[in-house]
Amino acid sequence: MKYKRILLKLSGESLQGAQKYGLSPEVLQSYAEQIKAAAATGVQIGIVIGGGNIFRGLSGAKKGFDRVKSDQMGMLATIINSLALQSALEDNGVKCKVLTSIRMEPIGEYFSKARAIEYLEAGYVVIVGGGTSNPYFTTDSASALRGIEIEADVLLKGTRVDGVYTADPEKDPAAVKFDEISFEEVLDRRLKVMDLTAFTLCRENGLRIIVFDMDTAGNLGKVLAGEKIGTLVKL
């Protein structure tokens, strides 16, 4: 097995599937099946999910909401997504715990590094909801922070795009995909991998990032098996 422990970052938007809002039962089931198969190989899995399918703090602030309250609404959206994925995983027979960065028992236990690692080592999938618990930070930053805290071997960023390109592949048909790229080159080329705060956290702590397409069933298993799909960002 290539990795002992991973942090999987999932996009909130991906959870809405073909809908324009909310949660797609089909996407949740697909993710649960992929995560179940990955957990069955013995890899320890931490997960952070975005909230963009329900409420995105930054876009709320642009519509006149107070930025701090807007970000707090976004944090609550990530909790809803965390509970939805927990439910899907448990329906598939996977042991799963939701830890929250904001105190809200009995919805989830309050996050601590020690508690998260204890559950991971006991065979639970651990979902950390609530972002960093602070406004002005994205769930990308939360995934970088939690990945470093739980001492993950790699941060897997599951998106709708199959890697990092020289330009946006949806806008530029000539865009070329990287198999591997250094943190420095991403910065030099101003490529969008994660937001800059998250990216800097990973770079300074030596946490590698793999960007891959999570919406294609089976891709998570391929990444964990070491197949060259997606893009590896390394020092």
Side-chain angles (χ1 to χ4, degrees):
M1 198 193 325
K2 194 166 171 65
Y3 304 109
K4 176 178 180 261
R5 182 180 297 153
I6 64 165
L7 191 292
L8 176 62
K9 165 63 172 39
L10 297 174
S11 147
E13 275 98 341
S14 289
L15 289 183
Q16 69 195 20
Q19 307 162 184
K20 289 194 163 55
Y21 179 83
L23 292 154
S24 158
E26 293 78 20
V27 174
L28 282 167
Q29 179 60 22
S30 168
Y31 281 8
E33 287 171 1
Q34 289 193 69
I35 293 162
K36 178 180 183 175
T41 68
V43 67
Q44 296 174 13
I45 303 171
I47 299 175
V48 169
I49 315 176
N53 56 319
I54 298 170
F55 190 88
R56 182 181 288 283
L58 195 52
S59 58
K62 287 175 184 167
K63 291 172 186 167
F65 286 98
D66 172 77
R67 176 64 194 269
V68 172
K69 286 187 172 51
S70 194
D71 280 353
Q72 288 169 336
M73 291 161 74
M75 289 173 212
L76 295 177
T78 73
I79 305 278
I80 292 171
N81 286 341
S82 298
L83 294 174
L85 184 60
Q86 179 189 34
S87 180
L89 285 166
E90 288 176 347
D91 281 349
N92 282 271
V94 179
K95 295 193 302 180
C96 180
K97 292 283 184 184
V98 169
L99 304 183
T100 62
S101 59
I102 308 154
R103 285 203 178 276
M104 51 172 69
E105 294 89 353
I107 286 171
E109 290 182 56
Y110 188 54
F111 173 85
S112 74
K113 169 180 175 168
R115 180 58 96 189
I117 290 176
E118 190 180 311
Y119 281 134
L120 288 166
E121 290 181 339
Y124 286 87
V125 170
V126 174
I127 305 172
V128 187
T132 66
S133 84
N134 296 296
Y136 300 98
F137 289 93
T138 64
T139 48
D140 273 358
S141 294
S143 64
L145 176 65
R146 300 312 175 201
I148 294 158
E149 283 185 295
I150 67 169
E151 299 170 23
D153 301 319
V154 67
L155 191 160
L156 302 182
K157 181 166 173 160
T159 67
R160 292 176 290 188
V161 184
D162 64 346
V164 179
Y165 284 78
T166 50
D168 185 341
E170 291 174 0
K171 294 175 185 166
D172 182 356
V176 178
K177 183 175 154 237
F178 295 96
D179 290 328
E180 287 189 4
I181 189 169
S182 69
F183 281 95
E184 292 303 324
E185 192 174 352
V186 169
L187 292 171
D188 289 345
R189 288 174 171 265
R190 299 189 173 186
L191 299 174
K192 191 86 176 88
V193 174
M194 303 176 91
D195 75 74
L196 207 50
T197 308
F199 192 75
T200 304
L201 260 177
C202 291
R203 179 182 171 216
E204 288 180 350
N205 291 276
L207 180 60
R208 292 176 157 208
I209 305 165
I210 296 177
V211 180
F212 75 106
D213 169 20
M214 180 75 184
D215 291 356
T216 300
N219 271 0
L220 178 60
K222 289 178 182 174
V223 170
L224 293 175
E227 288 189 35
K228 295 279 187 191
I229 66 166
T231 300
L232 171 65
V233 184
K234 60 182 188 176
L235 288 171

